[in-house]
Amino acid sequence: MFDWITGLLQGGGALAIAALMLLENVFPPIPSELIMPLAGFNAARGGTSLWLAVLAGGIGSTLGAWFWFALARAYGPDRLRRLVERHGRWLTLTPSELERAQGWFARHGAAAVFFGRFLPTIRTLISVPAGLARMPTGHFLAYTALGSFIWSGGLALAGYWLEGGYEAVSTWINPVSTAVVVGIVAFYVWRVIRWHPDA
């Protein structure tokens, strides 16, 4: 995965950064923790400028989050509950878990959207209860963009400052990132096997 992302960033510049960060929010196994430090590293080596990398990363991340928000908002809580009741095993979700997630969002709202940008997987999932709760789109985008730009900027700066040592750690970043993807798939399979409907 490391080599694939590196090739895309070197060849596609800011557009590749935005596209990868959008995909990271649509399909969580693509980690921003790998994308943005590499973008910062490339900026330090004379590639896409740091400010443009951060801008592209923040925009891509915000658009990816908005995708799930808009989908959940259009789908609605009643239709989603029926979907969970019918296909809960493959979604690894039960109706009671869905209700708990909605209740948690109702209690934390904007703070959940903002701080969720800093947590793997949660940064994708938090958009769904926000959309189901019909959070005002402007508020959702504002909190999402703020968190996304802080997160993207911090990761890009880390890669920029680490320029000299980044190649040294690249030898273990690739197997670690691959292991993360394998772990996510294994966890999904385990959830499918262990799933049982609400009593």
Side-chain angles (χ1 to χ4, degrees):
M1 182 174 286
F2 177 87
D3 295 332
W4 176 68
I5 291 175
T6 301
L8 285 176
L9 293 181
Q10 290 175 344
L15 286 177
I17 295 169
L20 285 170
M21 289 298 286
L22 187 154
L23 286 174
E24 189 260 347
N25 283 268
V26 173
F27 185 62
I30 302 174
S32 61
E33 292 85 353
L34 184 58
I35 298 166
M36 290 311 300
L38 273 172
F41 172 74
N42 285 337
R45 291 298 178 93
T48 303
S49 65
L50 183 63
W51 74 267
L52 187 56
V54 173
L55 180 65
I59 290 173
S61 183
T62 301
L63 289 176
W66 175 81
F67 169 82
W68 286 114
F69 170 82
L71 194 63
R73 189 180 175 94
Y75 206 73
D78 293 336
R79 290 172 66 190
L80 181 61
R81 182 179 177 86
R82 289 194 296 271
L83 180 69
V84 169
E85 288 172 347
R86 187 175 301 118
H87 304 291
R89 176 179 295 278
W90 306 111
L91 297 171
T92 70
L93 187 65
T94 66
S96 64
E97 288 172 333
L98 176 63
E99 288 174 6
R100 285 198 297 272
Q102 290 174 287
W104 183 83
F105 178 81
R107 292 191 299 274
H108 300 286
V113 171
F114 174 74
F115 288 108
R117 306 311 305 157
F118 308 106
L119 301 172
T121 306
I122 299 299
R123 71 176 63 101
T124 295
L125 298 179
I126 196 60
S127 301
V128 174
L132 293 176
R134 303 192 70 77
M135 183 180 190
T137 302
H139 290 178
F140 174 80
L141 289 175
Y143 285 110
T144 297
L146 181 60
S148 295
F149 278 98
I150 292 173
W151 180 245
S152 298
L155 291 175
L157 280 172
Y160 190 87
W161 288 331
L162 279 172
E163 177 199 357
Y166 209 85
E167 289 177 345
V169 301
S170 68
T171 56
W172 58 265
I173 288 178
N174 195 32
V176 168
S177 61
T178 301
V180 168
V181 174
V182 172
I184 291 172
V185 172
F187 179 71
Y188 171 77
V189 172
W190 179 81
R191 286 274 294 174
V192 169
I193 293 170
R194 299 274 298 176
W195 184 90
H196 58 84
D198 294 331

